Each structure stands twice: as C-alpha cells, then as structure tokens.
Amino acid sequence: MTHRFLTAEAVVSALRPIEPLLLSRPHEARRAAAEALRVFPGDVAYAVKVCDRPDLLEALAEAGIRHFDVASIHEIRTVQAVVPEAVLHYMNPVKRLDHMAEAYGRGVRTFAFDCERELDKIAEATGDDRGILPVVRIAVPNDRAKLPLDGKFGCDGAEASRLLRLAATRGYRVGITFHVGSQCEDAEAYFVATEMACAAALDAGVVPAMVDIGGGFPTAFRGDEPSFVACVAAARRALDHRFPHYRGVFQCEPGRLLAAPAASVLVRVELRKGTTLHINDGYYGLLGELKWMPSVHPIRLVRPNAPSRIAAAAFALHGPTCDSIDTMDGPYPLPDDVCEGDWIEIELTGAYSSVLASRFNGFPETEVLVLGEMRAVRVAA
Ligand SMILES: *Cc1c(COP(=O)(O)O)cnc(C)c1O
C-alpha cells in the first residue's frame, strides 16, 4: 500500500492510528542541513547519537552532510552502511580499545580524549599512526543549556593545555573540542567556551589543527531562541580574536538542530482524568525528553474535521507503562474539550526520541511513517 501524507491531520483521517507514530519529515532534515552548511564556515558534523535512523541519515547526506560525530562502534557501522563516503569523528572521550582499532580500520582518524591514559589507548589502537587527529575535550560552562551535559567529560583548562602539549610533543597534530550543553539558549556561551579552548591552546603553545565547537545549538521551540548564525558568530569571534587568520579545521557537531525539525510524535488519548491525559506513548517510548525539558515542545490537538474552538487549559501527559516515572507534567496547553480518542501531535521531536525508545512493559518498537513521500515505511527504532 502506498500513502502520501503531508500532515498529521491527513494521517489521522486516513489511518486513525491506535499505536503511537513517529511522523518523519526527511524534507525538514534536508532543509535544516542545507541551512547549517550554508551558514557554517567549516565542517558540519552531524551528531549521530541524536537520531541514527537510516531515513534521517540518508536525508542529511542528500543535503550534503559528509561529516558525522559518532559515539560508538555501532554508530560507525550504521553510518558507513548508509553513507559509505562519510568522514567519521569518534568523539566519545572514553572508547574501548578494540572499538577504536575497528574504527581505525574503517578509516576513522579523529579521536577525542580528556586524559593521558585515553591518549595512550588511542595510540595503541591506531598502531602509533601519527597521522591521526587526537582531539582534547575541555570542560566549559553548561549553565545556559536546557540540558547540561557537563560533569562526565572534559578536563579543566590547565589539564587541556598539558594534554595538547603532550600530544604535540608525541608528534601529533592535535585538536580541541567542547560541548556547551544541549539546547543552549545563550549564543555568548559559544564565545566563552571557544575563548577557553583557544586560551588552553595558546598556553600550550599549540595551534590546534581542529577547533570543534561541539553541538548544543537550540531548536526554535518557542521561536525566540538564539539562531545558529548567532551561536556560530560568537564562537568565530573568539577564534578570530585568539587565532587571527586561523587555517585549521573549524568544525561543529549539531545534533538536535538538524534532527528535531525532522519528526513529530502522534499519540492518542486513552483516558482523561481531570487535567491529566493518559496517552499511548511516553517516557519509555518517544517522549523521554518531555520529562527533562518540560513545557518546551509545541503540542496540538489533531481533529481533522472538527477543530476545537474551546479555550486552552493546562494538561499533564501520562505515558502507557505502569511505572510512575512515566509522567510528563508539562504543563501543556490544549483545548479544554480534549477527550479520550483524540489525537495529539507533539512537534519538533525528531531529536532524542526514537533513539531513546525502549521496549519496557513489552511495548513494540517504534512505528515510523515518512511524510511527504510516496510510500509508508516501517523502520525499527
Ligand atoms: C550529544 C553531543 C552532540 C550533539 O548535541 P546537540 O545538543 O544535540 O546538538 C555533539 N557532540 C557531542 C560530543 C555530543 O556528545
């Protein structure tokens, strides 16, 4: 059977889906990728952990994305199967030796680290090839991000300096990278972080072969978040200040920015209790991010032939599992007549959704419906 749906309304009218659906919009991924490539004066490496579905990877590659930030050997195999010409950067600061050796065999040449032992491991796994690019991960403030990612990886400035010098002394070209935290809502955070990275390199007397400003670029959930242009300009200002006429690789690793607009989640209301809606997907499925970033994602009632004119009230969403973590309290505004059997679309949920879905409570794998295409496809999450 072939379908051609452009909207959630069309999906509901035709299919009345009783299972949750991820509505994939590859054209939005292509648009986001083309825009990032147009704006960024360097290499745009998509952060694969955010969404590794083949339909998305293909769309990004079609738009011209060639670089990918990968965090595991599994992501490396996945990307190479879909985009054979991909240039991969293994940016997880802690990696298994055999995984690094396989990655090296598969052509990966960029490896992140934030301590001396990991640099030794990288050397061992890559047969002491001095042509690879070790990249120091420096810790930077994450306090402007909706989802801070600090506390696990990244060394302080003094240690970053020491590691840069150490790698340079061993004969490597060496890069520096950081992450300001996901959904970073202050462009100046990129200025501060790039300043710290460049200062560490200057202290080490090393011109970095790569300055990689990581991810964190915000999705326009509300519309007033800083633009990618502003974040990049802030980073570039710091780089140009510290290293005028910088000739190395300038790279970014957007994840959310490219993936979020490329899907929404369509759910059905199974029961209403006051201002709580029990829906057929939740924290353990596609909506885990709603727990950590409440009241951020746009949400709307999908009633194709009878749009509600009732004023909005504030609702909490509860998922289908029997675990009490499975609540997304928002609050989310929906027309006050929303009821059992209604469909709801949660928008801008292409990032950190299908990759996080579990089979907890025996729920099946995510069903994906590709919109704006001539066919409906089912893809495992
Ligand atoms: C998660 C991650 C990214 C992507 O972050 P977003 O906030 O989704 O853009 C980029 N680089 C690294 C090293 C990451 O861990």
Side-chain angles (χ1 to χ4, degrees):
M1 191 162 56
T2 57
H3 295 291
R4 188 190 180 99
F5 302 120
L6 301 179
T7 62
E9 275 75 6
V11 172
V12 165
S13 293
L15 303 180
R16 309 192 66 76
I18 58 173
E19 301 293 347
L21 282 177
L22 188 79
L23 304 181
S24 170
R25 294 170 170 83
H27 51 285
E28 294 291 353
R30 287 194 291 271
R31 184 174 308 162
E35 175 64 8
L37 289 165
R38 189 184 66 74
V39 165
F40 195 76
D43 293 338
V44 177
Y46 170 64
V48 176
K49 77 160 188 273
V50 170
C51 176
D52 64 355
R53 287 199 326 277
D55 58 319
L56 182 84
L57 297 175
E58 268 167 26
L60 295 175
E62 276 167 33
I65 297 285
R66 286 293 168 274
H67 292 262
F68 294 82
D69 153 27
V70 288
S72 73
I73 195 66
H74 313 287
E75 289 182 354
I76 290 169
R77 294 174 192 149
T78 300
V79 175
Q80 288 190 332
V82 180
V83 189
E85 71 277 23
V87 179
L88 303 177
H89 307 273
Y90 205 167
M91 301 307 275
N92 187 333
V94 178
K95 302 165 290 303
R96 243 167 68 176
L97 269 174
D98 59 324
H99 288 171
M100 282 195 278
E102 179 181 338
Y104 179 76
R106 287 171 168 269
V108 178
R109 292 295 177 268
T110 318
F111 298 87
F113 69 110
D114 65 1
C115 68
E116 185 170 340
R117 175 61 194 144
E118 184 74 9
L119 180 62
D120 295 340
K121 282 170 58 188
I122 292 169
E124 187 178 336
T126 57
D128 278 325
D129 178 357
R130 292 301 192 261
I132 65 159
L133 182 66
V135 179
V136 175
R137 170 83 171 257
I138 184 172
V140 298
N142 269 220
D143 56 328
R144 307 316 305 264
K146 277 242 186 295
L147 275 184
L149 298 173
D150 53 346
K152 183 171 184 188
F153 294 129
C155 54
D156 66 23
E159 177 68 355
S161 219
R162 189 182 78 81
L163 293 174
L164 284 162
R165 206 176 314 116
L166 182 67
T169 306
R170 291 184 183 174
Y172 291 108
R173 297 174 311 128
V174 57
I176 188 146
T177 189
F178 55 78
H179 201 298
V180 296
S182 200
Q183 189 68 15
C184 175
E185 298 204 341
D186 182 2
E188 282 310 293
Y190 287 91
F191 178 84
V192 171
T194 307
E195 271 279 321
M196 289 176 69
C198 291
L202 283 168
D203 282 351
V206 168
V207 179
M210 173 186 279
V211 173
D212 179 323
I213 63 173
F217 310 100
T219 294
F221 290 115
R222 296 181 309 270
D224 62 354
E225 295 84 354
S227 65
F228 182 58
V229 174
C231 297
V232 172
R236 193 69 217 194
R237 192 154 38 85
L239 179 61
D240 289 342
H241 170 230
R242 295 290 191 156
F243 290 102
H245 315 295
Y246 179 69
R247 306 279 288 263
V249 175
F250 186 47
Q251 181 163 282
C252 64
E253 300 170 349
R256 179 189 303 284
L257 183 80
L258 303 187
S264 62
V265 174
L266 183 63
V267 297
R268 194 172 72 151
V269 178
E270 301 302 343
L271 186 75
R272 174 172 175 174
K273 284 182 194 162
T275 55
T276 297
L277 302 176
H278 289 258
I279 57 176
N280 61 351
D281 198 27
Y283 175 78
Y284 291 101
L286 296 166
L287 300 176
E289 270 230 313
L290 273 61
K291 184 94 192 174
W292 311 121
M293 299 200 310
S295 306
V296 167
H297 301 79
I299 168 170
R300 59 191 203 89
L301 182 61
V302 180
R303 244 185 227 166
N305 301 314
S308 175
R309 300 193 200 294
I310 306 289
F315 290 91
L317 305 176
H318 286 190
T321 70
C322 59
D323 191 299
S324 56
I325 286 175
D326 194 5
T327 59
M328 298 142 290
D329 289 331
Y332 294 98
L334 286 166
D336 203 8
D337 64 341
V338 59
C339 61
E340 188 175 323
D342 272 330
W343 280 272
I344 294 169
E345 184 179 27
I346 302 130
E347 298 178 313
L348 301 173
T349 40
Y352 304 102
S353 53
S354 52
V355 277
L356 292 176
S358 79
R359 295 206 48 249
F360 181 54
N361 267 204
F363 285 91
E365 286 187 348
T366 307
E367 280 196 54
V368 180
L369 191 63
V370 178
L371 298 198
E373 301 274 300
M374 288 304 288
R375 65 214 155 83
V377 295
R378 256 186 96 128
V379 188

